[in-house]
Amino acid sequence: MIKVKLLDYTPEPERVVAMAARLCYSASGAEELSERLDDNKVREMVRKMVRIGHGSTLEHASFTFGIEGVSRVLTHQLVRHRIASYDQQSQRYVAAHGFQYITPPSIAEKPAAKARYEALMEEIRAVYDELTEMGVPKEDARYVLANATETKILVTMNARSLMHFFNLRCCNRAQWEIREMAYKMLAEVKKVAPTLFFNAGASCVNTGRCPEGEMTCGRLQEMLKLREKD
Ligand SMILES: Cc1cc2nc3c(=O)[nH]c(=O)nc-3n(C[C@H](O)[C@H](O)[C@H](O)COP(=O)(O)OP(=O)(O)OC[C@H]3O[C@@H](n4cnc5c(N)ncnc54)[C@H](O)[C@@H]3O)c2cc1C
């Protein structure tokens, strides 16, 4: 099962965004930025920054997630998002004897496919063990490991980059595994910064329109029901 834990984040992320906005749009000096900035004013300013797309103000709030129970397929997709920082469990230093693996639902639901898949994973485990017993270093034995191999990764993104990530990866066109993880990340950040991530999610939920053209999932009306009223 995919585990997503919000490990750390900028203290008072929405207040920081509001302070950045205030610096831009008022004559306030640095020391006055948080003065007269009550919770209502913070919400109002954050909402405005998100609505008008003043994305640089969102970059001052960062969120760090610990992620487990995901495949190397997922992490390969995740690390394509360049505006982020990552650390991933090493297959050079951490032995993969008896490695765990992710089974896609489309395989799990077909008994014959599942049996074939599990037999292959057993075979890979055996070959990995044999290679390391022959003195092959872990960093080379790992070449036999499957994309399905379970891994752990730590990721930090700022709010602007996260919004973009949610646009792409909460979309029904994203693969099921990274989409499931993206929704868990979204649920975590909404708990601590609900105004900042108001209507964050797939592009259609975020903006009210689908950018996928002929590749659309065709479920726009259903997705639009997820939009919160402004
Ligand atoms: C449904 C789906 C299918 C995909 N299929 C494929 C595939 O078949 N093959 C494949 O290789 N990838 C594929 N990808 C990955 C995709 O191409 C991106 O690499 C990935 O989604 C990261 O997005 P990004 O580059 O926008 O994000 P980030 O790397 O976080 O960048 C964020 C934004 O910063 C700007 N930016 C970052 N770097 C640069 C730069 N060097 N120059 C200019 N602007 C920059 C861009 O505006 C970019 O959108 C797929 C992604 C999705 C969601």
Side-chain angles (χ1 to χ4, degrees):
M1 201 185 73
I2 298 177
K3 273 199 207 162
V4 170
K5 187 168 168 51
L6 180 60
L7 295 173
D8 210 346
Y9 54 95
T10 303
E12 301 196 77
E14 296 182 339
R15 181 165 290 273
V16 173
V17 171
M19 287 196 288
R22 196 155 184 222
L23 182 93
C24 293
Y25 299 116
S26 76
S28 307
E31 286 179 6
E32 304 151 322
L33 286 179
S34 67
E35 282 171 20
R36 298 188 311 281
L37 207 49
D38 62 24
D39 290 350
N40 282 337
K41 190 69 185 161
V42 166
R43 273 194 289 275
E44 181 193 313
M45 293 182 83
V46 168
R47 195 65 151 256
K48 187 172 170 192
M49 292 304 100
V50 172
R51 201 181 286 123
I52 67 174
H54 188 159
S56 59
T57 60
L58 314 186
E59 293 173 16
H60 300 286
S62 287
F63 300 82
T64 299
F65 303 86
I67 294 163
E68 291 181 19
V70 295
S71 70
R72 281 247 163 185
V73 171
L74 179 149
T75 56
H76 187 77
Q77 294 174 332
L78 175 62
V79 301
R80 294 295 304 280
H81 292 267
R82 291 159 289 183
I83 316 297
S85 304
Y86 302 100
D87 279 288
Q88 179 162 17
Q89 187 177 63
S90 169
Q91 290 180 334
R92 295 186 73 197
Y93 299 110
V94 180
H97 301 293
F99 66 89
Q100 299 299 303
Y101 56 88
I102 307 304
T103 305
S106 62
I107 293 176
E109 72 195 12
K110 294 183 191 68
K114 185 166 179 270
R116 189 79 184 82
Y117 188 81
E118 288 175 352
L120 176 63
M121 294 301 152
E122 278 310 314
E123 176 67 7
I124 292 174
R125 280 177 176 157
V127 173
Y128 180 89
D129 291 351
E130 282 168 34
L131 290 175
T132 51
E133 278 159 25
M134 287 175 205
V136 173
K138 293 191 279 295
E139 66 179 12
D140 291 341
R142 68 174 166 162
Y143 279 63
V144 302
L145 297 176
N147 265 338
T149 306
E150 189 177 280
T151 185
K152 299 176 177 56
I153 194 162
L154 196 135
V155 51
T156 300
M157 286 191 201
N158 66 47
R160 184 184 201 175
S161 194
L162 263 177
M163 300 255 194
H164 176 67
F165 174 77
F166 294 141
N167 283 175
L168 297 180
R169 301 301 184 172
C170 291
C171 172
N172 290 324
R173 295 248 310 111
Q175 195 168 2
W176 61 273
E177 192 185 13
I178 196 166
R179 188 170 66 239
E180 190 178 324
M181 183 194 74
Y183 272 108
K184 288 186 173 184
M185 291 165 70
L186 178 58
E188 288 294 298
V189 294
K190 274 190 174 235
K191 284 181 208 161
V192 299
T195 307
L196 191 49
F197 292 99
F198 169 81
N199 273 339
S203 289
C204 56
V205 173
N206 193 205
T207 66
R209 58 171 205 88
C210 173
E212 293 289 324
E214 61 185 23
M215 307 281 267
T216 181
C217 70
R219 292 166 53 194
L220 180 62
Q221 293 314 317
E222 181 191 327
M223 293 297 286
L224 290 181
K225 289 185 190 145
L226 300 177
R227 272 173 75 77
E228 293 172 46
K229 287 211 170 52
D230 207 343

